[in-house]
Amino acid sequence: MQRALHIDPGKCTGCLQCEMACSYENEGLFNPAKSRIKVFTFHHEGRFAPYTCTQCADAWCQKACPVDAIQIDRNTGAKVIVEARCVGCKVCTIACPFGTVNYNTASGKVIKCDLCGGDPACAKACPTAAITYIDADWTGLDKMRAYAEQSLAGTA
Amino acid sequence: MQYLIIGAGPAGVNAAEALRRLDPDASVRIVGDEPEPPYSRMAIPYLLMERVDEHGTHLREQADHFADRGIIVTQGRVASIDPAAHQVTLHDGSRLGYDRLLIATGSSPASPPIPGIDGPNVSSCWTLADARAIAARAVSGSKVALIGAGFIGSIILEALAMRGVQLSVIEQGERMVPRMMGPQAGGLLQRWCESHGVAVHTGVSVEAIEAKGVRLAGGRFVEADLVITATGVRPNLGLLEGSGVKVEQGVLIDRHFRTNVADIYAAGDVAQGLDFCTGSYAVHAIQPTATDHGYLAAVNMSGRVAEYEGSVNMNVLDTLGLLSCSFGRWEGVDGGEHAELYSPDDYRYLSLQFEGDRLIGANAVGLFQHVGVLRGLIQRRTALGEWKDRLMRDPTRLMEAYMATTQVI
């Protein structure tokens, strides 16, 4: 069964543990600016919302990559940046309509969520279960993907 | 079923792969005219920066990628198309038949009528062969003049500067990237490049290219051992002469990628397809359009029906560490509204263009996190509601606006 990150903004307290964990897991340092998951603050509503890649079935970033540097992790279904192939052209950063692929100036390559190979650090670090890693069927992922594909590609 | 694809760039390759998935028993053949495996022109600047080798420019990593999928890739240049016979003729006189044909021939550098442009010291930067020639001559300390600071010129600019050459750039428009960004953003790019040691001449045309450099209108002379031209590209349409396929700026295609001639489709740089933002038909010679076109053309060629919503023109640029991007109708529309942040001291600029409460275009300089949502908001025609007023006051709250209007928060 494929699993996916499920985010419940209602449970998020804005503690940023997920950003710290992500940055440490992927970059070896506690720097939220290098996190692949980002918590946004809604002052008016008094809400917080973690946000990251949903690993689209038919991924815009992957299709747009000119050098085959975004490949699928067969175990998790995650779309993964192959660092050795990424030239740093950034086309994926404008092609992803969800804004979840970002350029890392330090490495000269792009970064995105890769589900930590199947054991996402953000979900483990979240103290309130606002981020969980569960069966994809329960996340509403398919609906989101279908919506994205329909509204962007054309109606098949 | 025999599918024939002319052109081995991103549109052709994406189409071939999709056709193979959609029609497993069909014959799928790509004919490309360069003596290389299918590769990405977009990767050439990074080859010149020596971040990747030639293998790193290939569209697909594995050498046997196409053979493994039963996709035939052959080298040849198509001279003409005979729609009545469902055949194409190659320059060597051989013929290939097709049931459905995709024109994905891309574009080539335009060569403006400048005296001396055919000289031995002048090169474009378009093919791997060009890149090899430039790499041999644009060595540290050499003097290089780059004619054209549009999008492609500005990408090449970075590659050349990083090779350690003494670089001068000449752009006849009033600013850098005049068809991608407005005066403030273009001005930031110019000042940044100048502060990084690149001589930038804008608002001036080239009178002649001579053996020792470039003579500008008004008499100034820019010394150069090597002159590189990046003065725009033109669709490769020559093979369509006599075919009856209708052409304007590019091959005219409908929302199903069909030309006016039965069983002939077109995709990518060569195609003049629906522009999502304007509703008119335009050539968008960019990578994301090429791959979207290639995939959706294949869906239609396979007998399924997919109606294209149109392409959003967009570009992302890195000029020596200053990142910028443009989306859609960045220049705005009559009756629309405009939110702007301009912070020249720290090289930051953000411009959002609205029509009613919908985002229709944007430019950003020095802000590069989550920029993809600009595409998302434009292409979903998201009604921003109260978030539009918030963005008018503070355009940097883009991500919050995006999440509040498209996600459950």
Side-chain angles (χ1 to χ4, degrees):
Chain A
M1 176 61 73
Q2 193 169 313
R3 296 204 288 170
L5 283 174
H6 181 243
I7 291 172
D8 181 352
K11 292 181 180 169
C12 179
T13 62
C15 73
L16 308 187
Q17 290 292 321
C18 55
E19 293 189 6
M20 297 294 234
C22 177
S23 154
Y24 188 72
E25 174 74 24
N26 291 291
E27 302 285 327
L29 46 100
F30 292 106
N31 179 0
K34 294 280 164 64
S35 174
R36 284 101 168 120
I37 189 164
K38 190 84 195 149
V39 178
F40 289 92
T41 308
F42 295 82
H43 297 289
H44 279 78
E45 295 79 4
R47 298 283 296 262
F48 302 94
Y51 186 70
T52 192
C53 172
T54 59
Q55 317 294 344
C56 306
D58 208 2
W60 299 95
C61 60
Q62 187 184 20
K63 279 197 292 180
C65 178
V67 292
D68 207 12
I70 303 180
Q71 296 182 7
I72 299 173
D73 180 326
R74 296 285 164 205
N75 293 322
T76 62
K79 311 303 176 293
V80 176
I81 309 293
V82 181
E83 284 241 355
R85 297 243 358 131
C86 176
V87 296
C89 78
K90 311 166 196 73
V91 163
C92 54
T93 71
I94 58 169
C96 167
F98 310 103
T100 55
V101 191
N102 284 307
Y103 182 63
N104 180 0
T105 51
S107 65
K109 298 174 190 287
V110 294
I111 53 176
K112 72 178 286 298
C113 172
D114 60 2
L115 297 175
C116 297
D119 189 17
C122 56
K124 280 190 290 185
C126 181
T128 60
I131 305 166
T132 47
Y133 188 54
I134 58 172
D135 285 352
D137 284 356
W138 294 93
T139 63
L141 202 60
D142 286 344
K143 264 191 282 180
M144 195 170 160
R145 285 172 175 173
Y147 174 63
E149 279 153 26
Q150 181 197 7
S151 58
L152 291 175
T155 35
Chain B
M1 179 65 78
Q2 284 189 76
Y3 297 108
L4 179 62
I5 295 162
I6 311 175
V13 162
N14 273 275
E17 291 170 351
L19 284 167
R20 169 52 66 237
R21 287 195 301 272
L22 295 164
D23 198 346
D25 300 325
S27 153
V28 180
R29 180 192 290 268
I30 300 174
V31 182
D33 67 355
E34 289 184 55
E36 333 275 357
Y39 71 93
S40 168
R41 304 203 190 290
M42 283 206 53
I44 285 176
Y46 307 96
L47 176 68
L48 288 174
M49 290 178 207
E50 296 173 7
R51 278 203 211 167
V52 290
D53 59 11
E54 285 197 10
H55 179 252
T57 71
H58 294 170
L59 286 173
R60 296 297 176 256
E61 181 176 7
Q62 305 299 332
D64 49 8
H65 175 91
F66 298 102
D68 274 358
R69 286 160 178 76
I71 297 169
I72 305 160
V73 183
T74 51
Q75 192 196 339
R77 178 176 274 261
V78 174
S80 64
I81 300 167
D82 180 351
H86 275 55
Q87 279 188 339
V88 305
T89 303
L90 278 67
H91 271 274
D92 65 6
S94 62
R95 288 169 160 256
L96 289 168
Y98 66 84
D99 295 311
R100 297 211 171 110
L101 177 69
L102 181 67
I103 315 287
T105 47
S107 47
S108 296
S111 193
I114 299 171
I117 199 155
D118 297 322
N121 55 335
V122 185
S123 173
S124 56
C125 182
W126 191 243
T127 62
L128 272 180
D130 290 341
R132 292 176 196 125
I134 290 169
R137 297 171 71 178
V139 293
S140 183
S142 62
K143 296 193 179 87
V144 177
L146 172 64
I147 302 177
F151 172 65
I152 294 171
S154 293
I155 286 192
I156 298 168
L157 178 159
E158 175 173 67
L160 292 169
M162 290 180 77
R163 293 184 67 81
V165 308
Q166 292 181 49
L167 182 61
S168 303
V169 183
I170 302 131
E171 165 59 46
Q172 69 173 8
E174 287 303 315
R175 59 179 182 272
M176 290 178 66
V177 287
R179 284 167 303 282
M180 175 179 158
M181 287 189 283
Q184 288 166 312
L188 289 181
L189 262 64
Q190 178 165 354
R191 190 157 60 81
W192 178 274
C193 289
E194 287 168 346
S195 74
H196 284 70
V198 178
V200 183
H201 308 271
T202 50
V204 60
S205 58
V206 172
E207 221 162 66
I209 301 170
E210 300 171 8
K212 299 220 155 123
V214 177
R215 187 163 302 285
L216 307 184
R220 265 186 302 171
F221 190 79
V222 175
E223 279 185 40
D225 311 310
L226 173 65
V227 179
I228 295 173
T229 56
T231 51
V233 295
R234 302 275 178 275
N236 292 322
L237 300 167
L239 76 168
L240 296 169
E241 260 176 53
S243 68
V245 172
K246 199 173 170 196
V247 164
E248 287 178 2
Q249 286 85 46
V251 181
L252 268 179
I253 50 168
D254 67 10
R255 292 180 66 183
H256 301 276
F257 299 86
R258 295 176 294 213
T259 69
N260 62 311
V261 174
D263 298 322
I264 303 183
Y265 298 71
D269 282 17
V270 77
Q272 184 177 346
L274 181 64
D275 179 328
F276 177 89
C277 294
T278 64
S280 60
Y281 284 73
V283 174
H284 284 172
I286 56 170
Q287 167 81 13
T289 297
T291 56
D292 289 354
H293 270 195
Y295 170 70
L296 286 166
V299 173
N300 284 286
M301 289 170 77
S302 75
R304 294 161 180 82
V305 179
E307 191 166 67
Y308 190 42
E309 295 288 321
S311 51
V312 174
N313 208 6
M314 54 187 168
N315 278 303
V316 59
L317 188 59
D318 188 342
T319 33
L320 300 167
L322 184 65
L323 271 67
S324 56
C325 58
S326 78
F327 292 86
R329 307 194 78 173
W330 57 268
E331 73 285 26
V333 292
D334 288 343
E337 284 179 282
H338 174 215
E340 188 173 82
L341 171 144
Y342 179 51
S343 182
D345 293 343
D346 53 0
Y347 291 96
R348 292 206 311 160
Y349 177 76
L350 177 61
S351 157
L352 305 179
Q353 297 286 351
F354 300 97
E355 190 170 34
D357 71 344
R358 289 161 210 268
L359 186 72
I360 55 165
N363 274 154
V365 179
L367 298 156
F368 54 90
Q369 298 296 308
H370 312 294
V371 286
V373 298
L374 291 163
R375 178 192 191 180
L377 286 171
I378 293 169
Q379 213 159 349
R380 283 177 167 169
R381 295 198 168 99
T382 304
L384 289 161
E386 63 183 353
W387 277 95
K388 187 210 157 185
D389 298 325
R390 292 183 193 172
L391 288 174
M392 288 294 289
R393 291 193 293 274
D394 181 2
T396 64
R397 298 197 67 201
L398 198 63
M399 261 318 277
E400 289 90 335
Y402 171 79
M403 291 181 68
T405 51
T406 62
Q407 319 266 315
V408 183
I409 60 150

